């Protein structure tokens, strides 16, 4: 007996090693969800919002490097996937989105709930197609999966409501051919890059997530060149631990040592990074950039030698051409600055630090206890977290505190919406991460604004019994937006949040809720949250006026902050 379109898709996903499909059931998806229900080894994860489903699928794809899958039904269900899919696309995560559609004969008739999926997903997807005949299967599925995996992006396969249950006449096993090419530049380009780097006296490395599989080669390059290594946020998990060259991040979340390492260099070697903030690149410096994607070469800062290729194999060919630098002053100066900065940050992370009444005034108005420093919260989580924990973080101040106070030691992993910059990503990404690694500790750094945006999927965590630990930086404010307003001289407006007791909400939903309002109870609360079995939400009231000083503060920003505070008081 021939299989149906839905059965062909579901069987193929199982054979590809997909273990979870995230979505919300309904109409056009019914043949697909029924096929999943009757398939061993493939689980349907019913989310409360399709955006959460897309974030969860993207998290699994980023952590595993293999296909993540989500589904959205006709019209609104598919529209709800869009933000999470944009995050997957900008993170180069291989995700397949299977979307429902109105019956084939009704397409184009402005039918109830009809949405043009090919138009809707045009900008986000590397591939999109609508199944209009059973004869297209399994070829249409093969093409979609191949595009997602080999191009590192989102593929959208639309299945009309009357198509999933139809039998496929050519019922053959799908063949996907998912091997990706590994390329390296030609010898002449490598020779030019080596000549530039060998002629420089002070080389700095800027290393991104694209170099993650080349840790040994990157460290060897830094050693030969006596070069400090500035890391992008996404490179923390691969290069921060046991690395005598790294000096942390640059940009708004960064530190002065990284800025100095870049500005003092006369040559910059960029490895697997598309760091987007042009103002933070050094000026009047010669640049060599290595990236697997040719379109990334030179698009952020002018490049003297662009090497299109896999970072590992490119460095394997480049390293023998590099001279070993004896003068280590540039590296040692950057490292000394970094260590001094870290010592200052450690003082900020002391829960008892800075109890001056003026510093606590606004916090006291919102909270009868002493509001906790967010630095202290992040540092406490870092101390008690497992060495193989998976961290997610919401965009905004939660990411700042994680970047500065949570080292990626051991085999810790880190994901977030670091390219799209979406709110509300940390909790659903943690959901996907916990299903991907059920035996590992998963910790989400949640902003109060981000958590409340997709609050309903706390129930998904409860339903599936996922032992996710949600750490809420509850400052009753959209903290990053507030900071952006104030540093330009504007008084904060529209950023205050009228929050509930999130721990009580979690308890009402069947999770363990823990609330900390005073620094004296911080470390005990964090330890208890991380050691309690099952899902836990730790709601910590943090100081809303805590400021993350940029790595390179300007006089204009300082005066802007003063003007904003004066206008707020008035």
């Amino acid at each position: 007996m021939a299989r149906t379109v839905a059965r062909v898709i579901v069987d193929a996903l199982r054979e590809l090693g997909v273990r979870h499909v995230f979505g919300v059931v309904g109409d056009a998806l019914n043949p697909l969800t029924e096929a999943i229900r009757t398939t061993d080894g493939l689980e349907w994860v019913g989310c409360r919002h399709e955006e959460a489903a897309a974030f969860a699928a993207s998290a699994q794809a980023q952590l595993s490097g293999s296909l993540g899958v989500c589904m959205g039904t006709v019209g609104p269900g598919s529209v709800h996937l869009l933000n999470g899919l944009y995050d997957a696309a900008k993170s180069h995560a291989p995700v397949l989105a299977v979307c429902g559609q109105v019956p084939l004969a009704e397409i184009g008739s402005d039918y109830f709930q009809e949405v043009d999926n090919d138009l809707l997903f045009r900008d986000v997807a590397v591939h999109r197609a609508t199944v209009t005949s059973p004869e297209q299967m399994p070829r249409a599925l093969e093409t979609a999966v191949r595009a997602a995996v080999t191009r590192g992006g989102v593929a959208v396969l639309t299945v009309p409501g009357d198509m999933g249950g139809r039998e496929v006449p050519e019922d053959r096993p799908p063949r996907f051919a998912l091997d990706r090419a590994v390329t390296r530049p030609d010898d002449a380009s490598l020779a030019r890059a080596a000549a530039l780097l060998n002629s420089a006296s002070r080389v700095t490395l800027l290393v991104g997530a694209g170099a993650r599989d080349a840790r040994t080669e990157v460290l060897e390059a830094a050693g030969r060149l006596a070069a400090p290594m500035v890391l992008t946020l996404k490179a923390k998990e691969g290069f921060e631990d046991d690395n005598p060259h790294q000096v942390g991040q640059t940009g708004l979340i960064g530190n002065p040592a990284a800025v100095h390492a870049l500005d003092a260099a006369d040559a910059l070697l960029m490895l697997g990074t598309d760091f987007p903030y042009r103002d933070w690149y050094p000026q009047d410096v010669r640049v060599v950039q290595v990236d697997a994607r040719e379109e990334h070469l030179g698009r952020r800062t002018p490049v003297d030698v662009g090497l299109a290729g896999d970072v590992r194999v490119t460095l394997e060919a480049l390293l023998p051409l590099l001279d070993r630098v004896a003068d280590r002053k540039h590296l040692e100066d950057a490292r000394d600055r970094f260590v001094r900065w870290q010592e200052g940050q450690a003082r900020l992370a002391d829960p008892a630090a800075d109890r001056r009444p003026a510093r606590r005034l606004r916090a006291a108005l919102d909270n009868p206890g002493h509001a906790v420093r967010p630095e202290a919260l992040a540092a406490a989580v870092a101390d008690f977290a497992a060495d193989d924990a998976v961290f997610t973080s919401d965009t905004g101040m939660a990411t700042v505190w994680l970047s500065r106070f949570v080292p990626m030691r051991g085999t810790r992993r880190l994901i977030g919406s670091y390219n799209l910059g979406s709110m509300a990503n940390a909790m659903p990404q943690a959901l996907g991460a916990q299903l991907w690694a059920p035996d590992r500790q998963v910790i989400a750094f949640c902003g109060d604004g981000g958590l409340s945006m997709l609050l309903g999927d706390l129930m998904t965590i409860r339903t599936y019994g996922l032992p996710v630990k949600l750490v809420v930086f509850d400052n009753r404010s959209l903290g990053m937006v507030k900071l952006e307003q104030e540093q330009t001289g504007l008084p904060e407006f529209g950023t205050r949040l009228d929050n509930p007791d999130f721990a009580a909400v979690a308890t009402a939903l069947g999770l363990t809720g823990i609330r900390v309002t005073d620094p004296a109870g911080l470390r005990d609360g964090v330890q208890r949250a991380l050691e309690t079995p099952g899902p836990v939400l730790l709601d910590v009231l943090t100081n809303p006026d805590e400021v993350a000083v940029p790595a390179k503060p300007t006089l204009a920003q300082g005066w802007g902050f003063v003007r904003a505070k004066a206008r707020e008081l008035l």
Side-chain angles (χ1 to χ4, degrees), residues 261-515:
L262 291 168
D263 289 346
D266 61 359
L268 175 65
L269 175 58
M270 299 171 60
L271 299 172
T273 178
D274 191 36
F275 183 73
Y277 305 107
R278 298 184 184 185
D279 291 344
W280 294 89
Y281 281 93
Q283 304 299 312
D284 300 320
V285 63
R286 293 177 296 168
V287 179
V288 175
Q289 182 177 3
V290 182
D291 203 289
R293 298 174 181 268
E294 292 185 15
E295 65 270 21
H296 288 182
L297 299 177
R299 76 173 181 175
R300 305 303 185 188
T301 191
V303 167
D304 296 275
V305 181
L307 302 177
D310 176 85
V311 174
R312 181 180 58 79
V313 298
T314 299
L315 285 181
E316 285 176 347
L318 180 63
L319 282 169
L321 307 179
L322 297 180
D323 298 335
R324 187 169 293 277
V325 175
D327 184 357
R328 301 176 64 83
K329 185 177 184 306
H330 178 51
L331 169 62
E332 291 170 355
D333 186 30
R335 285 287 298 177
D336 286 345
R337 291 169 183 260
F338 182 54
V339 170
R340 291 199 300 272
W341 177 80
Q342 286 183 308
E343 291 170 348
Q345 294 294 294
R347 289 191 291 273
L348 291 176
D350 181 351
D354 198 359
R355 290 181 178 274
R356 289 172 294 175
R359 183 85 167 162
R360 302 289 178 181
L361 176 60
R362 178 175 156 191
L365 294 175
D366 293 337
N367 161 39
H370 298 288
V372 174
R373 296 183 70 100
E375 301 97 328
L377 172 56
V381 173
D383 288 345
F384 290 113
D387 284 353
D388 67 346
V390 180
F391 289 88
T392 68
S393 69
D394 270 334
T395 299
M397 298 308 296
T399 289
V400 175
W401 308 130
L402 184 145
S403 167
R404 295 187 176 187
F405 294 96
V406 180
M408 291 293 110
R409 63 174 180 259
T411 56
R412 289 177 173 178
R413 300 293 305 272
L414 172 64
I415 56 173
S417 185
Y418 302 140
N419 293 68
L420 179 64
S422 173
M423 288 181 65
N425 62 283
M427 182 263 287
Q429 285 181 330
L431 187 162
Q434 191 71 84
L435 284 164
W436 170 73
D439 297 327
R440 291 174 70 166
Q441 189 179 63
V442 177
I443 303 170
F445 273 38
C446 300
D448 45 3
L451 178 73
S452 55
M453 190 176 281
L454 285 176
L455 194 63
D457 273 282
L458 289 179
M459 290 179 278
T460 306
I461 291 173
R462 188 274 314 275
T463 297
Y464 291 90
L466 303 177
V468 171
K469 313 306 179 189
L470 304 167
V471 179
V472 185
F473 288 74
D474 189 352
N475 64 358
R476 289 79 69 208
S477 173
L478 298 175
M480 184 64 79
V481 178
K482 173 179 177 289
L483 181 61
E484 291 167 351
Q485 291 174 347
E486 290 178 338
Q487 72 180 9
T488 58
L490 298 173
E492 67 166 309
F493 177 76
T495 63
R496 299 278 187 107
L497 298 176
D498 182 17
N499 289 338
D501 179 335
F502 286 115
V505 171
T507 300
L509 294 175
L511 289 73
T512 298
I514 299 173
R515 187 170 171 88

Side-chain angles (χ1 to χ4, degrees), residues 204-219:
T204 294
L205 272 58
L206 178 60
V207 179
R212 189 176 298 144
D213 295 331
R215 175 183 163 91
T216 300
E217 292 76 15
V218 172
L219 290 176

Side-chain angles (χ1 to χ4, degrees), residues 244-257:
H245 294 268
Q246 72 96 6
V247 292
Q249 283 81 62
T250 186
L252 290 175
I253 66 172
N255 71 82

Side-chain angles (χ1 to χ4, degrees), residues 76 120 167 191 194 196 208 233 289 311 318 327 368 378 383 436 526 536 549:
L120 176 68
E167 292 185 352
L196 187 157
L233 179 59
Q289 182 177 3
V311 174
L318 180 63
D327 184 357
D383 288 345
W436 170 73
V526 169
V536 178
V549 179

Side-chain angles (χ1 to χ4, degrees), residues 252 482-490 547-568:
L252 290 175
K482 173 179 177 289
L483 181 61
E484 291 167 351
Q485 291 174 347
E486 290 178 338
Q487 72 180 9
T488 58
L490 298 173
V547 175
V549 179
K552 187 167 55 177
T554 66
L555 184 61
Q557 289 172 334
W559 276 114
F561 191 76
V562 170
R563 292 198 309 272
K565 286 301 180 185
R567 295 172 72 179
E568 288 169 11

